[in-house]
Structures are given as C-alpha cells and as structure tokens.
Amino acid sequence: MKPPTPGMLAAGLVGVTVFTLMMVGPPGSYTPPPEPQSTGPAPSSISVNGFTLTSDTVDLPIDEQQYPDGPHADVINANCTSCHSASMAMTQPVLSADQWKATVTKMKDVYKAPVAEKDIPAIVDYLTAMSVAQDGAPTGKAQDTAPGTAPDVSGGTG
Ligand code: HEC
C-alpha cells in the first residue's frame, strides 16, 4: 500500500475541518434563553426578531460619577472613582481633615484602593474643601469672623 500523498492528507484535513464547523454551527446561531418576565409597569419596548429592546429611565437621587472641578479634582478623580461614584463622598456629613484622612486611609488599607501615598494630602485637601463648601458653614468650631467685618458693639466713644 502506498503512503498517502500530501494532496490526500490535505483533502482529509479539509474534510475534518468542514465536519467540525458543521457540528459547531455558524457563528451567531446560538439562541439566548428567553428573558424572564419583568413585573411592574412596562417600560417602552420594541421587539424585532425575538429580541426585545427596552428603554427605561431611572432617577437616582444623587448621580455624581465624577468629583466636581476644584483644586486637586484631577487627583481624586484618578484615585477615587474606580469602585464607587463621587456621590459616596459627596453625601457624607461635613468632616474634618483628620476624618477625611481616616476615610482615605480606610479606602487604601481596608478596601485596597490603589492610592499613592503622595496623593493622599491632595485628596484630603479636596475632600475637606468640598465638604465645607457643600454644607455652607463648618460645624463644631465657632465661626471666626474676619477682622474688620465684626459689628462694632462697643457703643462708640461717646
Ligand atoms: C478598591 C475600591 C475602592 C476605592 C478605589 C475607593 N473606595 Fe471608597 N469605598 C469602597 C467600599 C467597598 C466602600 C464601602 C461601601 C459600603 O459601605 O457600602 C467605600 C465607601 C466610601 C465612603 C463612605 C464612607 C465610609 O467610610 O464607608 C467614602 C466617603 C469613600 N468610600 C470615599 C473614597 C475616596 C475619597 C476614595 C479615594 C481615595 C475611595 N473611596 C476609593 C471602595 C473603594
């Protein structure tokens, strides 16, 4: 018996390939399981060829993905938006610089946030300034009035 020629080998290979492709089926022939029926008010939807595209609107109370512009906003946006949106920090009560530092340290040590040590002061500065600006007046410490603007309560000279 003669050994198979390269041509015969090639033909066999093509045959096996075609057979395999026939068993697998053409790309896109996979049919996803049917969508579970949703309850509640029906959102607007459109059905084409068994696919249903639905459009729905959800109003979140606070939807700030990024920290608003300000000094060091770029640093905090680079470090603090990968796991949760900015609203996580924007909804905190007014905190002192030390308290913010503790939060940032917790993110880093407990939740393994990849925050560079050198970025922490900038982030704490941003958060402290944001926190105070957002709430108007800082709590805790009595408000100092700038010199010169204090009302004159001395009763005058005469
Ligand atoms: C590795 C993921 C990750 C990164 C990065 C991250 N956080 Fe968090 N953060 C979390 C988790 C997890 C929680 C807790 C969420 C919860 O309690 O539901 C959280 C909660 C918070 C809270 C809510 C108060 C608290 O103490 O739990 C604040 C504020 C906060 N993060 C600020 C920040 C700031 C600022 C940065 C950037 C320095 C940051 N996060 C980066 C994971 C992360």
Side-chain angles (χ1 to χ4, degrees), residues 83-141:
C83 298
H84 51 73
S85 64
S87 43
M88 184 73 92
M90 305 299 288
T91 50
Q92 297 300 304
V94 178
L95 300 179
S96 69
D98 280 352
Q99 290 168 312
W100 277 121
K101 184 158 199 250
T103 299
V104 173
T105 308
K106 182 173 88 175
M107 293 302 127
K108 185 168 154 43
D109 293 350
V110 179
Y111 300 131
K112 307 294 175 213
V115 179
E117 202 71 47
K118 69 170 174 52
D119 286 344
I120 293 181
I123 294 168
V124 171
D125 275 3
Y126 178 94
L127 288 166
T128 312
M130 176 277 294
S131 172
V132 170
Q134 204 190 24
D135 207 68
T139 53
K141 188 166 167 273

